[in-house]
Amino acid sequence: SQELEQSPQSLIVQEGKNLTINCTSSKTLYGLYWYKQKYGEGLIFLMMLQKGGEEKSHEKITAKLDEKKQQSSLHITASQPSHAGIYLCGADRLAQGGSEKLVFGKGTKLTVNP
Amino acid sequence: NAGVTQTPKFQVLKTGQSMTLQCAQDMNHNSMYWYRQDPGMGLRLIYYSASEGTTDKGEVPNGYNVSRLNKREFSLRLESAAPSQTSVYFCASRRTAGYGYTFGSGTRLTVV
């Protein structure tokens, strides 16, 4: 079962437009991670959120975790072709023995047209 | 550069062949993970190792075995490769809870 739901699955925007990607969980999110992946390449860490209501920004990308810690959003302002790729949200889940494992949503494919 | 190193980067196998994917990290991280990525499926956890000497199954462990050789190395073995195992495999590591995960650049495996 997919524990994290990402929406939309794909997104095509014109350069300069703002956009938002959502990540929703049926369980409380204790550690929420956003990664970006260029086609055919590895994952690039963007941001980690842990506290309800937390918001972090890096350049033109802002990520938020809601107060209930069940939904996160990634917002890109004034998108550029360099923002194109697959955006993945991941969350910590408690595993056997108290250890943690990282589970992912299916990803959002972003295309930015010049 | 410090990070997670995966070898090989590309591999083609025939059905029934075996192989081991290697992963090493030089950041003194405690936890290590193996994922596979398939189109439209995101990343799915195969196996993980919370600490040296321990390994646990993830979401899709069937057809795979792992070895946490030491703190640095975590290998993934396919004993009898099947076309369904054609995928991109990623290794990741993490210092401990509360810290982020670092990913390798991936191994693209094709089973024919």
Side-chain angles (χ1 to χ4, degrees):
Chain A
S1 65
Q2 202 73 29
E3 297 185 40
L4 295 176
E5 295 290 332
Q6 276 189 247
S7 61
Q9 290 184 2
S10 65
L11 192 54
I12 302 173
V13 300
Q14 205 67 30
E15 182 176 359
K17 296 294 185 183
N18 302 337
L19 63 104
T20 299
I21 298 168
N22 293 302
C23 178
T24 303
S25 172
S26 57
K27 302 176 184 178
T28 301
L29 295 165
Y30 289 104
L32 189 287
Y33 306 82
W34 284 101
Y35 287 87
K36 178 187 175 183
Q37 185 180 29
K38 288 280 195 183
Y39 303 118
E41 298 180 11
L43 279 71
I44 300 168
F45 172 75
L46 296 175
M47 274 169 272
M48 176 174 74
L49 304 168
Q50 293 181 299
K51 299 175 184 177
E54 187 173 9
E55 179 176 321
K56 289 187 177 179
S57 294
H58 177 67
E59 297 181 342
K60 294 184 179 181
I61 300 176
T62 300
K64 300 178 185 179
L65 183 60
D66 74 339
E67 289 289 345
K68 292 184 178 180
K69 295 174 66 176
Q70 287 191 295
Q71 184 168 356
S72 178
S73 61
L74 186 81
H75 184 77
I76 299 177
T77 304
S79 58
Q80 301 169 351
S82 61
H83 287 127
I86 298 172
Y87 289 81
L88 293 151
C89 71
D92 283 323
R93 288 286 183 252
L94 278 179
Q96 222 170 0
S99 62
E100 290 183 336
K101 55 182 180 179
L102 179 63
V103 295
F104 282 94
K106 293 185 178 181
T108 296
K109 181 180 176 182
L110 173 64
T111 303
V112 181
N113 291 325
Chain B
N1 291 335
V4 178
T5 303
Q6 290 184 238
T7 55
K9 292 189 183 304
F10 301 93
Q11 184 71 47
V12 179
L13 288 179
K14 293 183 179 179
T15 297
Q17 285 185 319
S18 62
M19 82 159 293
T20 299
L21 280 64
Q22 306 286 354
C23 176
Q25 52 90 10
D26 56 6
M27 298 171 285
N28 202 35
H29 284 177
N30 290 313
S31 305
M32 298 185 74
Y33 308 79
W34 275 106
Y35 292 87
R36 60 177 289 172
Q37 185 177 33
D38 303 291
M41 298 298 292
L43 274 79
R44 292 181 292 171
L45 183 63
I46 305 171
Y47 270 96
Y48 64 102
S49 171
S51 60
E52 186 179 357
T54 68
T55 60
D56 285 291
K57 296 179 180 179
E59 302 168 71
V60 289
N62 292 343
Y64 305 95
N65 285 303
V66 290
S67 295
R68 183 75 183 265
L69 304 170
N70 47 55
K71 193 171 186 179
R72 289 187 64 247
E73 299 172 287
F74 188 38
S75 62
L76 179 71
R77 183 160 178 84
L78 287 71
E79 291 291 350
S80 179
S84 61
Q85 294 177 304
T86 293
S87 188
V88 181
Y89 292 85
F90 287 99
C91 177
S93 70
R94 184 192 203 190
R95 180 178 174 182
T96 188
Y99 289 81
Y101 297 77
T102 302
F103 282 81
S105 58
T107 295
R108 190 172 295 273
L109 176 67
T110 302
V111 183
V112 298

